Amino acid sequence: MIYLDNAATTMHKPEEVGKAVLEAMNSLGNAGRGANTASLGAARTIYGAREKLAAFFHAENPKQIVFTANSTESLNIAIRGILNPGDHVITTVMEHNSVLRPLYEMQEKGVELTILPADETGSFSYEEMEQAVRQDTRAIICTHASNLTGNLVDVERVGEIARRHNLLLVVDASQTAGVFPIDVQNMHIDILCFTGHKSLLGPQGTGGMYVREGVKVRPLLSGGTGVQTYNKRQPEEMPTALEAGTLNGHGISGLSAALSYLEETGIDRIREREQELMWKFYEGVREIPGVTVYGDFRTKNRAPIVTLNIGDYDSSEVSDELLMTYGISTRPGGHCAPLMHESLGTVEQGSVRFSFSHYNTEEEVETAIRAVRELAQD
């Protein structure tokens, strides 16, 4: 199988990730739930992963890194934890449902939304973003890169807008963490939400968030923490404040191993390879008669995603044919990005997403180009 669905999850992981998970399952106890060797080993492993993530994202303190199950949980904690009735929020049509659905629920509770539109390339206007700021605006919540088009958002520019107007900036880094450099301090990011199973190359069921020191987030959950047992409320100290219950120590062990791999290999090298493959595919399909490619390809720096349609064929039919005839795995349909599809006019048809990993090869890309060409000729 040629796996080109890496924006959904990276299937090919570094060998050391699986080894770390297996070793953890056979040796680690429950962090913070005892003074035995197994429990202390789990605590050290988890804190070590916090330190790696803090360095990776240039956080000021490892205690500002919170572990969750995925970006969805992180975004729900952030959105529900900082907004109140009467607040105004700015977001974009580029967002994933992990942002949109919690925002819609908060809208029902009295939060007001401004959703910035996109042009024909799927890009929004930074000028319109700043013009949308009101006296009651509380936050800007946006993705770092579209999971549908691969368009990259200039988060540093958005951060400057947020800083000028004293707004919170919440960033969904699901498609960028692990492949694009992220400096939460230079980018003025107040809350960064990320998942472990995509470009961070970790196991599914791992993820987290960075919360800037001084930013107060209401806990989504409360419960066991291993500390302050007789306190009737969730402890306020970070990261315990946002981490109720047993953490996925086994998965975090794998994520820690993945972070070591990324540091040793270099994310710049990984990104350059993925973009090289993406551009090779794009150049090979963009002028095929009947093929429509979506997104802004005017700039080289973009997420390694190419999304397209072939004529009027339903995207699921094309994706099925790619798999059954050519052994190529892609992602059709709506991609949990409803507003982006509305902007592109692809609600009914959906679209076929090809997303690349540095583990892919040029031969695999050439096969994918040939497959699209042959399907477009049918």
Side-chain angles (χ1 to χ4, degrees), residues 71 83 149 161 187 217 220 223 227 234 238 264 267 295:
S71 289
L83 298 179
T149 64
I161 295 172
M187 293 176 168
V217 180
L220 183 65
V227 296
Q234 187 74 4
M238 290 287 286
E264 293 166 7
I267 66 170

Side-chain angles (χ1 to χ4, degrees), residues 288-349:
I288 297 174
V291 172
T292 302
V293 179
Y294 305 97
D296 187 355
F297 288 84
R298 294 171 294 184
T299 57
K300 180 176 176 58
N301 202 29
R302 61 192 321 282
I305 292 170
V306 179
T307 300
L308 56 80
N309 274 317
I310 299 177
D312 295 327
Y313 288 108
D314 183 83
S315 61
S316 294
E317 293 180 10
V318 174
S319 187
D320 287 347
E321 192 66 27
L322 286 167
L323 181 61
M324 292 185 291
T325 303
Y326 301 94
I328 300 172
S329 292
T330 57
R331 169 78 186 276
H335 310 89
C336 303
L339 300 185
M340 193 77 264
H341 275 284
E342 288 180 12
S343 295
L344 298 174
T346 52
V347 171
E348 297 300 325
Q349 187 178 16

Side-chain angles (χ1 to χ4, degrees), residues 52-127:
K52 290 180 182 180
L53 285 165
F56 198 77
F57 296 128
H58 301 272
E60 63 271 23
N61 190 325
K63 292 183 179 180
Q64 302 309 118
I65 301 294
V66 175
F67 285 111
T68 65
N70 43 51
S71 289
T72 300
E73 183 178 350
S74 299
L75 288 161
N76 271 265
I77 292 172
I79 291 169
R80 299 172 192 275
I82 64 171
L83 298 179
N84 296 293
D87 287 342
H88 172 244
V89 177
I90 300 169
T91 189
T92 80
V93 298
M94 296 172 68
E95 308 311 315
H96 189 278
N97 271 335
S98 295
V99 170
L100 295 175
R101 284 175 173 165
L103 281 177
Y104 291 148
E105 291 181 21
M106 295 304 292
Q107 188 178 35
E108 293 176 357
K109 297 179 180 179
V111 171
E112 292 191 55
L113 300 182
T114 293
I115 302 176
L116 299 176
D119 61 20
E120 66 279 1
T121 70
S123 302
F124 68 87
S125 164
Y126 297 96
E127 290 77 14

Side-chain angles (χ1 to χ4, degrees), residues 137-291:
T137 304
R138 169 70 169 159
I140 299 173
I141 302 175
C142 71
T143 187
H144 193 185
S146 168
N147 74 315
L148 178 57
T149 64
N151 292 357
L152 198 66
V153 172
D154 187 346
V155 170
E156 189 168 356
R157 185 173 178 181
V158 176
E160 286 292 342
I161 295 172
R163 185 185 62 82
R164 278 197 297 271
H165 297 277
N166 197 29
L167 308 177
L168 294 176
L169 174 59
V170 180
V171 174
D172 175 6
S174 299
Q175 295 297 330
T176 56
V179 69
F180 285 89
I182 298 174
D183 186 324
V184 293
Q185 297 190 70
N186 284 345
M187 293 176 168
H188 305 291
I189 298 172
D190 294 290
I191 302 177
L192 180 79
C193 300
F194 59 91
T195 193
H197 71 96
K198 296 186 181 184
S199 292
L200 282 174
L201 302 177
Q204 295 180 4
T206 62
M209 58 195 298
Y210 155 81
V211 180
R212 186 185 294 278
E213 288 184 353
V215 175
K216 184 68 174 177
V217 180
R218 290 187 300 273
L220 183 65
L221 302 174
S222 60
T225 56
V227 296
Q228 299 186 27
T229 295
Y230 300 100
N231 187 347
K232 293 181 179 181
R233 291 185 170 274
Q234 187 74 4
E236 294 185 0
E237 295 80 6
M238 290 287 286
T240 308
L242 303 178
E243 288 182 347
T246 297
L247 295 176
N248 179 9
H250 304 147
I252 292 170
S253 296
L255 178 59
S256 182
L259 290 163
S260 295
Y261 170 85
L262 291 172
E263 182 178 2
E264 293 166 7
T265 306
I267 66 170
D268 291 341
R269 178 182 170 191
I270 291 173
R271 182 177 65 260
E272 288 169 5
R273 177 58 176 166
E274 293 180 353
Q275 290 179 335
E276 177 185 1
L277 295 171
M278 179 270 295
W279 280 106
K280 179 180 179 68
F281 178 76
Y282 171 73
E283 294 296 339
V285 301
R286 68 185 181 92
E287 293 185 353
I288 297 174
V291 172

